[in-house]
Amino acid sequence: MTERVDVETVRFVGERAGFRVYLGESTDDGYCILLTGPDGTDGRVGCGGGGGGAVYNELQVEQDAFRSAADGVSPGEDWEAISENVYYREVPVETPTDD
């Protein structure tokens, strides 16, 4: 994880869906969302580029999606703010239909 994230920039932003959520700068120019379980284990990271000041990246774990966006930029519909720049929403599970 540390090769993708500048660890000195990582900050805790909140908790959702059983995850502790962090935001940090990537080592490549952009931002990373980092997730851990409540006890600090089971780490996951998703990084995205700075790309013009809109939505930076999204990280999805099963039905839980996390997204980061620039200051003042809407993350899109149905996203709940965890912090000023990090958002959460539950992704519905599609069930197969018998057609």
Side-chain angles (χ1 to χ4, degrees), residues 64-76:
D64 301 305
F66 299 85
R67 179 177 276 184
S68 68
D71 291 344
V73 174
S74 170

Side-chain angles (χ1 to χ4, degrees), residues 4-7 9-10 23-32 47:
R4 297 176 63 194
V5 182
D6 179 350
V7 294
T9 66
V10 174
L23 182 66
E25 293 180 21
S26 78
T27 55
D28 292 333
D29 181 35
Y31 292 89
C32 299
C47 299

Side-chain angles (χ1 to χ4, degrees), residues 16 79-84 86-88:
R16 285 294 185 285
W79 289 89
E80 171 192 347
I82 297 174
S83 73
E84 184 177 347
V86 181
Y87 303 86
Y88 166 81

Side-chain angles (χ1 to χ4, degrees), residues 37-76:
D39 59 358
T41 61
D42 193 28
R44 299 168 192 254
V45 63
C47 299
V55 171
Y56 289 132
N57 65 331
E58 185 174 320
L59 176 58
Q60 186 170 333
V61 179
E62 297 179 15
Q63 290 181 247
D64 301 305
F66 299 85
R67 179 177 276 184
S68 68
D71 291 344
V73 174
S74 170

